[in-house]
Amino acid sequence: MNGADGMDGFDHTNDELDGEPDDLTEAEGDDPLDDDLLEETLRQAAAIMDPVPAQLQQTAVEAYALHSLDTQLAELTFDSLVHGIPVRGAEDAPRMLTFHTAELTVDIEVTAHGLMGQVLPPQEASIEVLSGPQPTSPPTLTADDMGRFTADLHVTGPFALRLRTDAETVMTEWLRV
């Protein structure tokens, strides 16, 4: 055994001089430029291999537009699926929903035949029925001076309502039918 050999029988004299780090953590480093390059490469690969559908991107843009200060979120305070008492023998019972803001209440009944509801206090309103990615603009309903509205509109999947009154714009929570 010569003086350069370690206890393990290997020659360790040139370990520091070969230019390669001994510790794996030194090889990884904390270079933010490498992380940024890796992140950008992964973004480009995802954009090519699994691009975001145009309709989904449009829906996301429209959802972000709701982030305005003049739109109030109407909180769901009653859902017949959660709070309702089942009626024996009833098939396809309507789903009753109630949404509240500080100044407005919206009662909605969703059935297999359509959608109907009332805005309280009674007032005229324009109501858009939003549901998932749509190739066209959402259907718009009109509440009469008593706040009543109805549509022969089959609502499926997640949906929400955007109400525009003279005083405010209100958006309901998204729900799945």
Side-chain angles (χ1 to χ4, degrees):
M1 210 191 228
N2 69 31
D5 288 341
M7 300 276 304
D8 57 3
F10 292 103
D11 181 12
H12 296 284
T13 55
N14 293 330
D15 280 354
E16 297 299 322
L17 301 176
D18 63 1
E20 293 184 26
D22 289 335
D23 189 15
L24 182 59
T25 58
E26 288 179 32
E28 291 174 4
D30 291 327
D31 188 7
L33 293 176
D34 289 343
D35 293 343
D36 292 344
L37 179 62
L38 176 61
E39 182 179 354
E40 183 57 32
T41 303
L42 291 173
R43 283 183 195 277
Q44 290 175 2
I48 293 169
M49 302 298 287
D50 189 20
V52 176
Q55 289 180 330
L56 180 60
Q57 188 168 4
Q58 180 64 31
T59 300
V61 169
E62 290 172 358
Y64 182 75
L66 295 175
H67 181 62
S68 64
L69 295 176
D70 64 341
T71 301
Q72 292 187 32
L73 181 63
E75 179 183 2
L76 178 66
T77 57
F78 177 81
D79 184 346
S80 61
L81 288 180
V82 177
H83 302 104
I85 300 172
V87 177
R88 188 171 146 189
E91 293 182 18
D92 295 330
R95 184 170 181 187
M96 309 295 287
L97 304 165
T98 301
F99 297 93
H100 283 285
T101 68
E103 297 84 24
L104 193 71
T105 299
V106 182
D107 288 320
I108 304 167
E109 181 177 317
V110 182
T111 68
H113 305 291
L115 176 77
M116 72 171 108
Q118 185 171 17
V119 178
L120 299 168
Q123 58 190 297
E124 293 181 0
S126 171
I127 304 158
E128 293 176 78
V129 181
L130 308 172
S131 62
Q134 298 177 342
T136 61
S137 62
T140 302
L141 313 174
T142 303
D144 62 15
D145 59 344
M146 295 297 294
R148 300 172 300 193
F149 58 93
T150 184
D152 296 330
L153 182 65
H154 184 65
V155 181
T156 60
F159 80 100
L161 301 179
R162 182 183 305 139
L163 293 88
R164 298 179 196 278
T165 67
D166 291 336
E168 61 187 332
T169 300
V170 174
M171 178 80 182
T172 66
E173 295 181 33
W174 282 85
L175 292 173
R176 185 172 295 276
V177 177

